[in-house]
Amino acid sequence: MPADESVYSYSAVLMGSPILLKLFQRDEALAGRVFNLIKHYEDLFTVNRADSEVMRVNRAAGREPVTVSPAVYQLIKCALAASLPAASAFNLTIGPLVKRWRIGFQGDSVPPAAEIEDLLTITRPQDVQLDDARRSVFLARKGMEIDLGAIAKGYIADRVRDLLRQSGVEEGLINLGGNVQTLGAPRGGWSIGLKKPFAGPDALAGAIEVANKSVVTSGTYERYFEQDGRRYHHILDPRTGYPLDNVLDSVTVISTDSLDGDIWTTLLYGAGPERGLTWLADRPDIEAIFVTKSREIILSSRRHFRFTLLDDSYRVIDCTA
Ligand code: AMP
Ligand code: MG
């Protein structure tokens, strides 16, 4: 990494997250364009406000198809493809359950089981109908809601990378609160912290060094509440309607596109490390770091990153060793 004085950091709060842009030249105008681009996509994708293109689709559920802009259509199509395989824990129609649980928002509590049961009937990805010619999306059942929260940041991180590249930036980094996308390899690579789960915002379990790669983490420690001694976090199991419960505290994915990373963290979270590793055997472009509750750090492979352990209470299991 270059000496700190040559790094220019620009920050903002967007999409409910701290956003950090790092450049090696001072360029406020470019930083402004980056933040405007993020805002533009947030306005299209958000479901945390009354209005957005995705909210227009949701409001028309059970009534009529809605024509959307190319970016929204592309992202919904991609999220649907990730949701349809039977073994997938990714579900773009998880919206009604996310809204009911309110995890990470005020008023979160465990909903009655009967309500969860009811909501599961309107969270079927098969009920999303796309029409490529019209670029329209139709949610076939009343009450259905698309939620792109698990994928939007990845898509946006890639668009920021494209903008930086088009602007002549050779080395830079964008961090959208858990989704990091990098350009170039300043002094051999970018060092990205792997957070130590449930240990405060600055505690690190390790460091990941990459060049021209995205690093995306999904963790149960990011957003959760506790009730009756149990922890409920924000990644829901579409099969049960309750938070995914397995041996994992977090999953990090290293990939070229942050969109892939964002999808795969959810897929791998749902699969767990054992099954996840078998899926990854067919995908040399996707690499994962699983952090388990029993303090293991499992590296699926190390083709495109270097890993340094920073906390001795963890044990590294390197599947390529
Ligand atoms: P991420 O931070 O990328 O892991 O995404 C978490 C967000 O995705 C949640 O806050 C929800 O908005 C949404 N979400 C929760 N569970 C799922 C799921 N099983 N499939 C797709 N999106 C989900
Ligand atoms: Mg994700």
Side-chain angles (χ1 to χ4, degrees), residues 90 149-154 179 216-218 258-259 261-266:
F90 194 101
I151 193 176
K153 281 184 187 170
N179 277 68
V216 179
T217 298
S218 271
S258 206
L259 179 64
D262 223 354
I263 293 171
W264 274 87
T265 50
T266 307

Side-chain angles (χ1 to χ4, degrees), residues 51-118:
D51 197 41
S52 71
E53 279 202 17
V54 175
M55 283 307 290
R56 279 179 43 221
V57 172
N58 290 345
R59 278 201 305 269
R63 268 194 302 119
E64 61 191 5
V66 173
T67 294
V68 293
S69 58
V72 172
Y73 191 77
Q74 188 193 350
L75 195 53
I76 288 177
K77 192 165 180 173
C78 183
L80 180 59
S83 305
L84 288 173
S88 173
F90 194 101
N91 184 333
L92 86 162
T93 60
I94 199 88
L97 282 162
V98 172
K99 292 246 164 105
R100 181 59 189 85
W101 276 92
R102 298 185 58 76
I103 296 171
F105 294 89
Q106 218 160 14
D108 43 12
S109 64
V110 180
E115 264 186 61
I116 291 182
E117 223 26 65
D118 278 352

